[in-house]
Amino acid sequence: MNKKKDYYYLGKLLALLKPYKYYLAAIFLCLIASSAIVFLQPLLISRLTDQGLLEMNFSVTVKLTLLIFLLIAAGQIISFLRSWMFVHIHNSFYFSLISRGFQKLMRLKISYFTEKSSAEIIDNMRVDASNAALITDQFFGFTIEYLFRIVSGLVGLFVISWRLTLVVILIVPIKYGIVSLISRKTRKWTQERLEKLSNFTGWFSENIDGIKEIKLWGLYRKQWEEFQKRQKELLKLHQKESLLESVNNNIETALSWGVTGLLYILGGMQMAEGHLSLGGVFAFISYSGYVTDPIMMLLNLRIFFSTIIPSAERLFQIFELEEESDTGKLKVKQDQGIQIEYRQVSYAYENGRSILTSADIKITQGEKVAIVGENGSGKTTFLNLLLRFLEPQEGEITVNGTNINEIEADSYRGLFAVVDQAPYLFSGTIRENIDLDLRTDRETFLRACEKSGADNFIAKLPEKEKSVIGQNGSMLSGGERKKVAVARAMVREAPIIVLDEATAGYDGESDAHLHDFLIHQTEGKTLIVITHNQEHLEGMDRVYCLKNGKLCPQAK
């Protein structure tokens, strides 16, 4: 266990509580009031026992009983207010963590999302935010109250009998040794469980995404066996943690009752010698509970932190990941002529394999340019560099002579209407998927549907453009999904249209219709097409071939 690292992440987590300082101050006052009320109760009960019940003084009994009742009622009201504030802080803090996580994910580099499945990313974020937010749980509020109780309890104990107080204090080192051992084990198993849970979520997501392959290859038994193996590993770790918690609770109960039993015996001896009254013994045992129980709970904080720290560490590691570079301050005016230029641009994978070497290309406003090449030749990398999902390792890309990194990312990407070879559709209606920001007028929407060829199948749906299409367009055919994605690009009215195998899945007639539109009815717009289809080269101003990392002009 790296204590320095633990304190680092704990400090960062506590620093996030600064916006709640006034609520925390109010809770602190409530805790002081609660502690004062709790401190007075044993004294009043002692007087009630000795001066009221044993002396059969009915008046004193009634008065002290009513006073105790009022104190308890006041304590309950204060406890309710404190609980309400804790719930508010906890919910707000969890919301701030999960919101910060969402905003961070939206700004991370695309490469992060290729390393993990969406289900794994979501589950990790949810679990870690939930665990980290436990620092605002009432358990931690009680720690302050416990400190007050310990102090007040020790004062009460020493006032009543300093000899018996030593017996109570002896339990602390014993409990500390036990908790230290258990917290180390809990930390280790929690980290292991979180890692295995993350891996299981990713594996489970792959099974859902690859359900067709599982059915086609008859992999049910194989996946079922793997499922059982992974679940048993998780359950085994959970069982270890639960048993460890049970052992801790049993030891705690045994120690508590052992001390209480010993105090009854020693208290009886003190009564027999005339050093303590019956009410004094009861008060002493109550105060001993104020010391031993809170001390045990405070020591258990180490176990509690063993759950929080690993999640906080993983959460802050995400918060500290490098984001997409967006230091640009300039904006691009779309009504000006847009000229894109690659100047000696090179890019290689981490394994050193060069995918693009010293690429030079200049595309002026209104040109129609095609990029062809074999699978894996770097066509998609070429586009990812253009769209600023990747950054050139050498050279630069410019717009009208300005390095694209000097332009605001949103302004720059606003130049492009993109149809990816695997476009993503959201689980809304057709209209919501075509008009993503819901700002397009109906006439423009219908025109985009006509251009893409989507109007034909939309017209046959019962709800037309209001039809819900399911997650990633699961209720549409492959060709229909592509047409929706093309209509989305047409709606944007951007000066540069980028098509990455956009018509894969189109029937021949729809493909020819879209190609004719792009070639003859997009005057003034720049068209960049990635394709394997030789027929799509017709009407192009220039064709380039990507091969062995080199971008070379090719005869049409």
Side-chain angles (χ1 to χ4, degrees):
M1 186 185 299
N2 190 331
K3 289 186 178 181
K4 186 175 181 180
K5 186 172 69 173
D6 288 354
Y7 290 140
Y8 169 75
Y9 286 113
L10 179 59
K12 289 179 73 70
L13 199 60
L14 290 172
L16 297 180
L17 293 176
K18 190 175 181 180
Y20 311 101
K21 58 185 178 182
Y22 294 115
Y23 277 103
L24 293 172
I27 289 171
F28 184 76
L29 293 175
C30 287
L31 291 172
I32 292 176
S34 295
S35 299
I37 290 171
V38 170
F39 176 75
L40 291 173
Q41 287 177 19
L43 295 178
L44 294 174
I45 291 172
S46 175
R47 289 186 61 187
L48 174 63
T49 302
D50 294 336
Q51 299 176 19
L53 298 176
L54 293 179
E55 295 184 9
M56 298 182 184
N57 190 325
F58 181 74
S59 176
V60 171
T61 300
V62 171
K63 289 179 181 178
L64 290 175
T65 300
L66 288 174
L67 183 55
I68 292 171
F69 174 79
L70 290 174
L71 283 174
I72 292 173
Q76 293 302 307
I77 293 171
I78 292 171
S79 177
F80 173 80
L81 291 173
R82 184 185 63 199
S83 297
W84 179 86
M85 286 186 283
F86 262 119
V87 169
H88 174 76
I89 292 174
H90 179 80
N91 289 344
S92 299
F93 190 61
Y94 172 79
F95 179 76
S96 70
L97 290 177
I98 204 74
S99 298
R100 182 175 175 182
F102 177 81
Q103 291 175 328
K104 182 68 178 185
L105 289 174
M106 294 299 102
R107 294 193 296 265
L108 287 178
K109 294 182 176 181
I110 289 293
S111 57
Y112 176 80
F113 301 95
T114 62
E115 298 166 0
K116 299 176 182 289
S117 71
S118 57
E120 189 177 355
I121 291 170
I122 293 167
D123 194 60
N124 286 353
M125 182 63 67
R126 180 186 59 79
V127 170
D128 291 339
S130 180
N131 285 347
L134 288 174
I135 200 166
T136 58
D137 191 86
Q138 290 202 59
F139 184 87
F140 286 97
F142 290 143
T143 60
I144 302 173
E145 183 177 0
Y146 293 154
L147 290 173
F148 286 129
R149 284 197 184 188
I150 291 171
V151 172
S152 62
L154 286 172
V155 170
L157 290 175
F158 274 106
V159 168
I160 296 171
S161 172
W162 66 269
R163 292 183 179 85
L164 293 181
T165 303
L166 297 178
V167 175
V168 175
I169 293 175
L170 284 175
I171 194 175
V172 177
I174 299 172
K175 178 62 179 176
Y176 179 80
I178 295 169
V179 168
S180 296
L181 177 64
I182 290 175
S183 65
R184 285 195 294 269
K185 289 286 187 181
T186 301
R187 171 68 185 273
K188 177 185 174 183
W189 290 340
T190 297
Q191 285 181 317
E192 188 177 349
R193 179 172 56 82
L194 286 174
E195 184 178 345
K196 286 185 179 293
L197 183 60
S198 176
N199 293 336
F200 174 76
T201 302
W203 177 85
F204 204 131
S205 176
E206 286 181 349
N207 278 264
I208 301 301
D209 294 338
I211 189 65
K212 286 185 179 179
E213 283 70 20
I214 291 173
K215 289 179 179 291
L216 287 171
W217 285 79
L219 300 177
Y220 174 78
R221 181 178 293 278
K222 175 178 176 293
Q223 299 306 96
W224 169 241
E225 290 174 354
E226 182 66 17
F227 173 87
Q228 291 183 93
K229 176 186 173 184
R230 289 173 179 263
Q231 272 295 301
K232 285 177 180 178
E233 288 176 350
L234 283 169
L235 291 172
K236 187 176 180 180
L237 284 170
H238 183 265
Q239 183 180 31
K240 285 182 178 180
E241 291 179 84
S242 297
L243 287 175
L244 203 60
E245 183 180 355
S246 178
V247 168
N248 180 60
N249 290 336
N250 289 337
I251 292 174
E252 186 175 305
T253 301
L255 285 173
S256 179
W257 277 104
V259 170
T260 302
L262 185 59
L263 289 177
Y264 272 118
I265 294 172
L266 296 176
M269 293 172 61
Q270 292 279 303
M271 281 183 62
E273 295 173 3
H275 297 305
L276 279 178
S277 65
L278 179 61
V281 172
F282 288 160
F284 189 89
I285 292 173
S286 294
Y287 281 128
S288 71
Y290 289 1
V291 175
T292 57
D293 292 344
I295 283 178
M296 290 178 183
M297 294 300 292
L298 289 175
L299 292 175
N300 284 339
L301 277 175
R302 293 192 62 178
I303 299 174
F304 201 60
F305 277 122
S306 297
T307 300
I308 292 175
I309 296 298
S311 285
E313 179 179 347
R314 198 164 65 174
L315 200 60
F316 279 109
Q317 285 174 350
I318 291 177
F319 292 164
E320 293 164 2
L321 286 175
E322 186 179 0
E323 299 180 2
E324 274 191 328
S325 176
D326 189 14
T327 57
K329 304 296 182 183
L330 304 177
K331 292 183 180 292
V332 180
K333 293 182 179 180
Q334 297 189 12
D335 56 355
Q336 295 178 344
I338 303 297
Q339 179 177 276
I340 300 286
E341 184 176 1
Y342 280 59
R343 298 176 178 175
Q344 293 289 296
V345 172
S346 297
Y347 189 84
Y349 291 134
E350 289 183 0
N351 61 13
R353 185 169 75 89
S354 180
I355 198 71
L356 199 63
T357 305
S358 301
D360 283 306
I361 184 173
K362 184 184 292 184
I363 305 173
T364 59
Q365 183 76 42
E367 275 196 296
K368 295 174 175 58
V369 177
I371 309 291
V372 298
E374 297 178 354
N375 289 333
S377 61
K379 301 186 299 298
T380 299
T381 301
F382 176 89
L383 287 186
N384 283 335
L385 288 164
L386 177 65
L387 300 172
R388 284 179 59 174
F389 293 141
L390 297 175
E391 295 184 14
Q393 293 165 341
E394 293 181 16
E396 64 174 354
I397 302 173
T398 65
V399 171
N400 297 340
T402 301
N403 188 302
I404 60 175
N405 289 324
E406 297 178 19
I407 304 169
E408 288 184 2
D410 287 345
S411 176
Y412 174 74
R413 287 176 180 153
L415 297 173
F416 301 93
V418 182
V419 182
D420 192 63
Q421 57 182 310
Y424 188 85
L425 302 184
F426 297 94
S427 54
T429 65
I430 289 176
R431 175 64 187 259
E432 291 168 344
N433 271 279
I434 293 175
D435 181 15
L436 288 179
D437 58 6
L438 300 177
R439 295 178 182 177
T440 305
D441 60 72
R442 183 164 180 76
E443 183 181 347
T444 304
F445 170 79
L446 293 175
R447 188 164 60 249
C449 291
E450 183 182 356
K451 293 173 184 177
S452 68
D455 56 334
N456 291 326
F457 86 83
I458 291 174
K460 297 175 184 178
L461 297 174
E463 299 294 326
K464 303 299 187 287
E465 70 265 21
K466 294 182 180 179
S467 299
V468 175
I469 62 175
Q471 185 176 5
N472 199 16
S474 59
M475 299 170 69
L476 301 178
S477 68
E480 289 169 345
R481 287 200 293 270
K482 274 296 182 71
K483 289 175 181 178
V484 169
V486 172
R488 177 191 290 172
M490 297 298 103
V491 156
R492 194 165 197 187
E493 297 288 357
I496 303 173
I497 300 173
V498 178
L499 304 178
D500 185 5
E501 301 290 357
T503 57
Y506 267 45
D507 57 73
E509 183 180 349
S510 298
D511 189 358
H513 169 78
L514 178 61
H515 184 71
D516 179 74
F517 166 79
L518 292 171
I519 297 299
H520 300 107
Q521 299 183 48
T522 56
E523 186 176 351
K525 290 184 180 293
T526 302
L527 182 63
I528 301 174
V529 177
I530 303 293
T531 184
H532 285 98
N533 192 334
Q534 292 295 314
E535 294 180 1
H536 290 169
L537 303 183
E538 183 182 344
M540 293 293 161
D541 298 316
R542 285 182 288 158
V543 178
Y544 286 82
C545 178
L546 252 175
K547 187 174 183 180
N548 298 325
K550 296 291 186 179
L551 185 66
C552 304
Q554 174 180 294
K556 291 185 288 182

